């Protein structure tokens, strides 16, 4: 049995209530946000934080739920909400079938985020209507293939799920494609926003600036990788040059999280370019 230390803090920015659940397991800690605005709950937090998030949910007039993607730290309380509130849950069409079954993922992720029970979801259209706003549903693959961002036209606010997280990304999941992440970040700049609500970084008043900074960071990394690849360096050599530090999550996850995944995605992209 894993010993978890958990807490929650709720803040409000504009009309958005931001619930930040934090969890630590054997000294390793992370946090995840759930946002509520205009009758819409965006992401549900993890099952490991159910006792913290459920009182927050109970006090809200939730009319519908929008999920940025299917990972367990974002969908962990969807089943509970469905059972207790009977409101529609929207998810990328690609993940509806997999989320209709209990989540299957590695033990280290279960230790941190708990087990994600099955729930029933329906696909998004191109927009979502809440009481006072129209939301654009934006395809933003990269972190996952099913990742979405939500743009509130009325407020000019962008909800980015796990697309941003931090400016200087050092490790990514094996399913993540940094090339696609870069394209998705650039896609967001077509929208008129400054504020960003990120499911791990929280409220960012200067969110647009942060996204531009992340784009610059990834582009600079891409240029360095290209230079070393063209000089004949191996994936391991390039990784050590670009990200010299070894991160504990790489070992804990048996390289499911690794800096190497960014390098291999770039190299695959370069190789594809050469065949065009």
């Amino acid at each position: 049995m894993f010993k978890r230390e958990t807490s929650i803090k709720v803040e409000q920015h504009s009309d958005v209530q931001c619930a930040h659940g934090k969890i630590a397991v054997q000294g390793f800690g992370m946090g995840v946000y759930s946002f509520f605005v205009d009758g819409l709950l965006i992401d549900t937090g993890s099952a490991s934080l159910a006792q913290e998030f459920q009182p927050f949910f109970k006090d809200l007039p939730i009319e519908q739920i929008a999920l940025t993607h299917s990972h367990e730290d974002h969908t962990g309380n969807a089943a509970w909400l469905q059972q207790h509130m009977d409101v529609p849950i929207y998810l990328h069409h690609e993940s509806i079938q997999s989320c209709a079954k209990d989540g299957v993922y590695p033990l280290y992720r279960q230790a941190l985020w708990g087990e994600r029970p099955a729930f029933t979801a329906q696909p998004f259209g191109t927009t979502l209507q809440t009481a006072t706003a129209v939301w654009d549903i934006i395809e933003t693959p990269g972190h996952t293939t099913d990742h979405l961002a939500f743009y509130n036209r009325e407020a000019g606010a962008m909800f980015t799920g796990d697309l941003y997280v931090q400016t200087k990304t050092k490790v990514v999941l094996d399913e993540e494609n940094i090339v696609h992440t870069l394209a998705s970040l650039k896609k967001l700049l077509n929208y008129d926003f400054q504020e960003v609500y990120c499911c791990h970084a929280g409220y960012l008043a200067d969110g647009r600036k942060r996204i531009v900074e992340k784009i610059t960071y990834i582009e600079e990394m891409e240029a360095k990788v290209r230079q070393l690849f063209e000089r004949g360096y191996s994936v391991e050599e390039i990784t050590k040059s670009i990200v010299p530090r070894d991160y504990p999550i790489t070992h804990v996850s048996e390289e499911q999280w690794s800096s190497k995944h960014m390098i291999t995605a770039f190299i695959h992209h370069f190789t594809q370019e050469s065949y065009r």
Side-chain angles (χ1 to χ4, degrees):
M1 187 69 179
F2 302 105
K3 184 180 179 181
R4 300 185 178 110
E5 296 178 12
T6 58
S7 64
I8 194 170
K9 183 178 181 181
V10 180
E11 297 179 349
Q12 184 152 338
H13 297 280
S14 300
D15 294 329
V16 183
Q17 292 191 52
C18 313
H20 186 201
K22 293 183 179 180
I23 185 163
V25 179
Q26 297 176 341
F28 181 76
M30 286 193 73
V32 65
Y33 280 83
S34 178
F35 302 109
F36 177 78
V37 57
D38 202 29
L40 179 67
L41 184 72
I42 297 175
D43 287 347
T44 72
S46 63
S48 58
L49 288 162
Q51 291 186 342
E52 284 67 36
F53 274 110
Q54 286 173 11
F56 169 69
F57 297 147
K58 286 177 181 177
D59 289 337
L60 300 175
I62 299 171
E63 296 173 359
Q64 48 192 337
I65 298 168
L67 301 173
T68 58
H69 61 298
S70 59
H71 279 167
E72 64 276 4
D73 49 330
H74 300 258
T75 60
N77 292 301
W80 183 90
L81 283 157
Q82 191 156 62
Q83 292 164 7
H84 290 80
M85 298 191 178
D86 191 27
V87 294
I89 298 175
Y90 295 96
L91 177 67
H92 193 287
H93 66 86
E94 177 185 300
S95 297
I96 288 174
Q97 189 172 352
S98 62
C99 285
K101 303 173 185 176
D102 291 344
V104 177
Y105 41 91
L107 187 62
Y108 79 93
R109 282 165 58 178
Q110 293 179 35
L112 189 63
W113 299 125
E115 299 180 19
R116 194 268 299 150
F119 64 94
T120 303
Q122 55 195 68
F124 284 101
T126 55
T127 62
L128 186 69
Q129 178 73 55
T130 56
T132 66
V134 175
W135 297 68
D136 288 303
I137 310 303
I138 310 167
E139 296 265 358
T140 51
H143 177 66
T144 59
T145 57
D146 72 338
H147 197 282
L148 300 166
F150 309 133
Y151 176 64
N152 185 320
R153 295 182 188 176
E154 182 72 22
M158 187 70 74
F159 293 74
T160 59
D162 281 1
L163 185 58
Y164 169 74
V165 181
Q166 59 185 355
T167 300
K168 297 185 177 181
T169 302
K170 301 296 184 182
V171 295
V172 297
L173 267 172
D174 53 5
E175 66 181 294
E176 185 162 350
N177 187 316
I178 195 72
V179 176
H180 296 164
T181 295
L182 177 59
S184 291
L185 288 164
K186 289 179 177 179
K187 186 178 185 179
L188 293 190
L189 298 183
N190 294 318
Y191 295 82
D192 183 16
F193 70 94
Q194 297 299 325
E195 297 179 325
V196 162
Y197 293 85
C198 168
C199 282
H200 290 289
Y203 170 71
L204 305 172
D206 60 346
R208 188 182 191 89
K209 179 186 174 188
R210 300 273 198 105
I211 285 173
V212 170
E213 289 172 348
K214 187 178 181 95
I215 289 169
T216 301
Y217 169 78
I218 296 173
E219 287 180 333
E220 289 175 350
M221 182 191 297
E222 181 179 22
K224 291 175 186 175
V225 173
R226 185 187 292 272
Q227 183 182 54
L228 294 172
F229 176 64
E230 289 177 348
R231 289 168 59 184
Y233 282 62
S234 68
V235 170
E236 287 72 19
E237 289 169 333
I238 297 172
T239 303
K240 272 297 178 186
S241 177
I242 302 292
V243 189
R245 180 181 165 187
D246 290 325
Y247 288 88
I249 187 63
T250 302
H251 303 289
V252 170
S253 69
E254 297 182 346
E255 295 196 357
Q256 187 178 50
W257 286 89
S258 175
S259 307
K260 188 189 300 183
H261 303 319
M262 295 188 291
I263 310 307
T264 54
F266 282 131
I267 290 173
H268 180 66
H269 178 60
F270 303 153
T271 305
Q272 282 186 320
E273 282 182 334
S274 67
Y275 285 106
R276 288 172 187 167

